[in-house]
Amino acid sequence: MTRLHSLLASALFCAPLLAAFTPTQAETSKVPAQAGAAAKATATTATKKTGARQTGSPRPELKKTALKAGRPATAAPPRTAAADNEFTNFTHWRAVAEFIDEMSDQHGFDRDALREQFRRVQYRDEVVRLINPAPAGKAKNWTAYRERFVEPKRLNAGAVFWNQHEQALNRASAEFGVPAQIIVGILGVETMFGQSTGKFLVMDALTTLAFAYPDTPNRETRMAYFRGELKQALLYARENDTDPFDLKGSFAGAIGWPQFMPGSIRKFAVDFDGDGRIDLRQSPVDAIGSIASFLSQHGWVAGQPLAFPVTVATDAGWPEMIGQGLQAKYSLQDLEQAGVVVPDGVPAAASYGLIDLQDGERPVRYWIGTNNFFAITHYNRSYYYAMAVIELGQAIARQRNR
């Protein structure tokens, strides 16, 4: 979430918190960005422990989904009241067999060993429920969303974390140009500083989403994305001599303190503690460096500000600037000519994007964000997420100085 950028990241970059508030103009699929990373907010706020595998008769609704995907449905998992952990032999599914062939032909995996691994995978109905988008029509509320994160427990934990890892945070800031408060803000939003990294088996979650994604307009695109992350998870496990079934994370498959998707781990994560291996599950120092590395490779500019509150004029052209992608593309002159009222002191040399935060029954809040603001949205593709990271980091900095 790098998101799910996360979407998933993304979840970097998952009931799901960001889904209730993520603005439609910022939803271009996750993760990283992450999914942490995944597509819903903190990819671990709704995780649940795995349990015993079960057998039984096929579920009719999954059989319908399987047929749509062009694979046999005879091995669909049962519906039980006892648990969400449901058994199905994914090796009976044509798409899974094709995936195994691809991993063998392109990456040298042993076919028989992969078949045995996929026999161990269980379909997770809870994963399918959680990945579904929030019901349409629910009003977004920035104030309520902010209160989920900028609250006393998280502030206190953040101050303790910052004090414990100040040296690593300062080193990451010097090397990558990312301020400590942004790194701390992301870790606070994603996993409460490592306290909630997820209990789903990554193999279960990613296989379920790769081959049994729910019926949505972007179903094929999302299944392709999660197939890619399943491939990355297997490659990551092999490279690190790890049993892929030892990997646990969010319902979207995001892993560790920073909730990186497997592909983001392989591409952006760094061994920041110098022990010769990248470990985002057990090393907060690796997490610190990896977050800074991710942001630096997604447009972060050292020393650049983040965002400024603005107001907008009525009957002007500024609405066309909303939802123009996760990038800063307008000059101050462009914004002012479109009816955006910019306060004094905003740097004229930078580019900006126009941000709208719906706030329940209160007036919409408008901001202009720099490239650094939008770098955070590549971690999780949500304006609300990025603003929560910024404000949590600022609040923790103030907490430390008291």
Side-chain angles (χ1 to χ4, degrees), residues 76-347:
R79 178 65 173 175
T80 67
D84 285 304
N85 306 310
E86 300 170 348
F87 176 79
T88 184
N89 190 341
F90 274 106
T91 61
H92 291 176
W93 294 26
R94 185 175 67 204
V96 176
E98 292 171 351
F99 178 82
I100 291 172
D101 288 341
E102 175 188 329
M103 295 300 293
S104 177
D105 294 340
Q106 297 182 13
H107 301 285
F109 282 82
D110 180 86
R111 281 181 171 82
D112 290 338
L114 276 183
R115 290 190 189 101
E116 183 59 33
Q117 286 184 331
F118 279 103
R119 288 189 186 99
R120 296 172 59 191
V121 172
Q122 63 186 22
Y123 169 86
R124 293 301 305 269
D125 187 62
E126 185 183 8
V127 165
V128 173
R129 292 199 308 270
L130 291 172
I131 205 69
N132 267 313
K138 184 174 182 178
K140 301 174 180 66
N141 189 319
W142 161 243
T143 298
Y145 182 80
R146 181 186 184 278
E147 289 174 351
R148 300 272 186 169
F149 300 107
V150 186
E151 47 83 24
K153 184 177 179 180
R154 217 170 291 253
L155 295 180
N156 292 331
V160 170
F161 177 87
W162 195 329
N163 290 335
Q164 289 176 340
H165 300 286
E166 184 172 12
Q167 184 177 1
L169 288 164
N170 291 342
R171 183 160 56 92
S173 297
E175 183 171 339
F176 297 103
V178 179
Q181 67 186 38
I182 297 299
I183 300 170
V184 171
I186 287 175
L187 285 168
V189 170
E190 288 290 346
T191 61
M192 186 69 161
F193 308 101
Q195 295 183 34
S196 181
T197 59
K199 299 298 183 182
F200 288 92
L201 292 182
V202 169
M203 284 293 292
D204 288 352
L206 291 179
T207 302
T208 298
L209 296 174
F211 302 106
Y213 198 89
D215 289 328
T216 59
N218 62 346
R219 181 173 187 265
E220 294 302 321
T221 300
R222 300 306 288 156
M223 284 201 303
Y225 168 77
F226 284 108
R227 280 195 296 271
E229 290 300 332
L230 178 59
K231 176 179 75 172
Q232 294 295 328
L234 290 168
L235 290 169
Y236 168 74
R238 183 173 70 178
E239 291 165 354
N240 291 273
D241 195 24
T242 298
D243 183 345
F245 286 90
D246 287 341
L247 299 175
K248 291 184 179 181
S250 76
F251 68 82
I255 296 169
W257 285 63
Q259 291 292 275
F260 271 27
M261 294 299 287
S264 290
I265 296 176
R266 296 187 70 229
K267 189 172 183 180
F268 303 113
V270 296
D271 172 21
F272 209 56
D273 62 12
D275 67 352
R277 60 194 296 264
I278 296 171
D279 185 2
L280 300 186
R281 294 178 293 165
Q282 301 295 329
S283 173
V285 175
D286 281 358
I288 287 168
S290 297
I291 291 171
S293 169
F294 179 92
L295 293 175
S296 73
Q297 295 183 63
H298 284 84
W300 190 274
V301 179
Q304 190 178 74
L306 288 157
F308 300 91
V310 296
T311 57
V312 294
T314 57
D315 300 325
W318 60 265
E320 296 181 1
M321 294 179 167
I322 298 290
Q324 294 300 308
L326 305 179
Q327 57 182 321
K329 58 189 295 186
Y330 300 111
S331 67
L332 282 189
Q333 184 179 6
D334 293 334
L335 291 162
E336 290 170 343
Q337 289 178 348
V340 178
V341 181
V342 180
D344 294 336
V346 175

Side-chain angles (χ1 to χ4, degrees), residues 5-51:
H5 337 290
S6 179
L7 194 101
L8 72 83
S10 277
L12 335 238
F13 196 201
C14 63
L17 197 50
L18 280 182
F21 301 102
T22 302
T24 56
Q25 68 269 21
E27 290 174 347
T28 58
S29 90
K30 169 141 171 129
V31 209
Q34 297 312 320
K40 318 254 179 166
T42 53
T44 58
T45 53
T47 53
K48 197 171 184 178
K49 293 184 178 179
T50 56

